[in-house]
Amino acid sequence: RLRAAPEYASSTSRTEFKISGGLEWIEYLETYETIRNYNATTSVRHRASERLAFTAGASFVSRIVGAGFGSSSLDVDEPTAPSDDEILNEDPTVFGLRERRNSYLGRAGMTFTPSERDLFEIDVNARREDFRSSLFNDVTFVSQGIQYRRVLNEGLQIGAQANYSISNFDSATRFDAETISPSLVVNAQLTPRLQLAANVGAAFVSLDGPDESTSDTAFSGEMSLCYNDTRKNLCARASRGFLPFGVGGVRLQTVVSSTYSHRLTERDRLSLRGSYSTVSEPIEGLGGETDLLSLSGRYDRQISERVDLFFNTTYSNLENSLTADRSRFQILGGVSFRLGAPR
């Protein structure tokens, strides 16, 4: 298995720019064909004034869903928790089917702070997902969100946000969907090392099909509770909402995850992650409830400023009420090299 991840970043007093890419090449001794996963991302942040900032970005990802080994190395400089992006982007409905998905993402946002205690955020995201097989749902997903937060004191912020999204499927037989999700927001520094971030509300989805329409409502939101110190990081996260999937169209997904990172010494680091994702039966059409359990552990040893040794193990198990269960166990060991100027 070979993975390359080039990255370039530059900044001025007002603007930050970053572009990165990735290539993962996996060869199997038998049974499976070669896997090639690709990605490219660019982002920019511009501070127009002391109170106004803009962000924009775009990315492309082409990968076999649920067939890679994850990231090639973790940053040993800071013991921060791994991102939940890989968990959320697995799409349990096509996990393990060795199906290629091409994803195109564009995003833009604005942050405005009219006073030291008030903050407004607006963001727009557009995502296009194409599958190689016509058996799966190609979809265009657009979401817009607005959030207001007010600082009550040094350790507490409260506010409100609203999100609106559209899911348009290419298939004439699949129901398109509109979702509105209002919620309340709380960010609290409970102790010097313990932080809570939550938005809690409801999601209202309306589906329009060729001959009929339907709707559904559910509790939705996101929450994270994180403990940080100079050597350790522990985070528990949960999220719930309506999203488009490769099988079954728009469904209700609930994700619970936990990440732990510990810098054992100046050169050694241990990272653990576990997640459980459940996707409801389709609101319309056929399909079973899907559950995905993922567990992973990783050890990194810094050999020099540019060379690391790493060992990674991953276990995943998928259960579907209508199809056979699928599981995966992987062990990976290797060496990572950092080239070019230091980050």
Side-chain angles (χ1 to χ4, degrees):
R1 180 255 201 175
L2 173 66
R3 185 175 188 271
E7 177 183 303
Y8 171 78
S10 66
S11 62
T12 65
S13 60
R14 290 183 175 270
T15 304
E16 299 174 3
F17 173 78
K18 179 179 178 181
I19 185 170
S20 61
L23 165 64
E24 183 181 43
W25 187 302
I26 302 173
E27 291 282 354
Y28 294 94
L29 295 179
E30 55 184 19
T31 306
Y32 298 118
E33 298 178 353
T34 299
I35 289 178
R36 301 179 185 89
N37 295 326
Y38 316 93
N39 69 82
T41 301
T42 182
S43 63
V44 61
R45 175 180 174 83
H46 177 70
R47 184 167 56 87
S49 67
E50 293 296 326
R51 300 189 181 278
L52 183 63
F54 298 93
T55 60
S59 63
F60 167 74
V61 180
S62 178
R63 65 191 298 261
I64 305 296
V65 181
F69 285 95
S71 60
S72 62
S73 64
L74 295 174
D75 193 340
V76 297
D77 296 331
E78 295 294 339
T80 54
S83 169
D84 272 349
D85 289 345
E86 290 183 26
I87 301 173
L88 299 175
N89 290 332
E90 284 291 12
D91 190 347
T93 64
V94 298
F95 184 86
L97 297 179
R98 306 186 71 78
E99 175 64 27
R100 178 167 297 279
R101 181 184 66 189
N102 293 329
S103 301
Y104 309 84
L105 174 67
R107 58 192 180 277
M110 182 190 74
T111 301
F112 177 57
T113 53
S115 71
E116 293 182 356
R117 290 183 174 271
D118 299 285
L119 181 143
F120 287 93
E121 289 183 337
I122 299 175
D123 63 83
V124 178
N125 295 273
R127 187 173 81 239
R128 171 69 185 179
E129 294 188 350
D130 293 326
F131 289 90
R132 178 175 52 187
S133 171
S134 60
L135 298 176
F136 302 96
N137 300 314
D138 295 340
V139 62
T140 301
F141 177 77
V142 179
S143 66
Q144 306 90 37
I146 183 169
Q147 182 180 117
Y148 166 75
R149 297 199 306 270
R150 180 169 177 81
V151 178
L152 298 184
N153 57 50
E154 194 171 300
L156 180 62
Q157 297 180 7
I158 63 171
Q161 71 176 34
N163 292 282
Y164 171 75
S165 64
I166 302 173
S167 300
N168 289 328
F169 294 93
D170 290 0
S171 172
T173 61
R174 179 60 61 198
F175 283 50
D176 294 332
E178 295 184 21
T179 304
I180 299 175
S181 305
S183 61
L184 299 177
V185 178
V186 176
N187 293 333
Q189 191 74 41
L190 304 179
T191 71
R193 300 188 185 279
L194 188 63
Q195 185 173 12
L196 171 70
N199 65 77
V200 180
F204 307 91
V205 61
S206 174
L207 294 94
D208 293 320
D211 302 313
E212 60 177 315
S213 299
T214 186
S215 61
D216 199 1
T217 304
F219 166 79
S220 67
E222 300 178 9
M223 187 194 76
S224 67
L225 183 66
C226 293
Y227 173 85
N228 300 277
D229 68 15
T230 55
R231 304 186 73 88
K232 295 187 293 292
N233 177 290
L234 174 64
C235 281
R237 297 182 175 91
S239 65
R240 195 167 193 254
F242 290 106
L243 292 170
F245 290 94
V247 177
V250 171
R251 304 196 193 194
L252 179 64
Q253 182 184 40
T254 303
V255 179
V256 179
S257 66
S258 180
T259 56
Y260 174 73
S261 179
H262 188 183
R263 187 186 299 172
L264 305 173
T265 69
E266 291 302 316
R267 292 181 176 270
D268 298 275
R269 177 175 171 178
L270 175 69
S271 298
L272 304 173
R273 184 178 71 183
S275 71
Y276 177 76
S277 171
T278 180
V279 179
S280 69
E281 294 182 359
I283 301 174
E284 50 83 22
L286 300 176
E289 181 176 310
T290 304
D291 300 319
L292 176 62
L293 172 68
S294 296
L295 303 171
S296 64
R298 184 182 179 96
Y299 169 77
D300 287 83
R301 169 71 174 178
Q302 186 178 12
I303 304 302
S304 69
E305 188 175 323
R306 295 181 178 273
V307 180
D308 294 342
L309 292 177
F310 63 89
F311 177 82
N312 183 75
T313 180
T314 303
Y315 170 77
S316 301
N317 182 70
L318 182 138
E319 297 181 356
N320 186 285
S321 58
L322 296 182
T323 61
D325 297 346
R326 298 187 292 273
S327 62
R328 180 185 70 174
F329 179 71
Q330 296 178 332
I331 297 177
L332 176 68
V335 182
S336 63
F337 302 90
R338 285 186 289 273
L339 307 175
R343 289 177 293 177

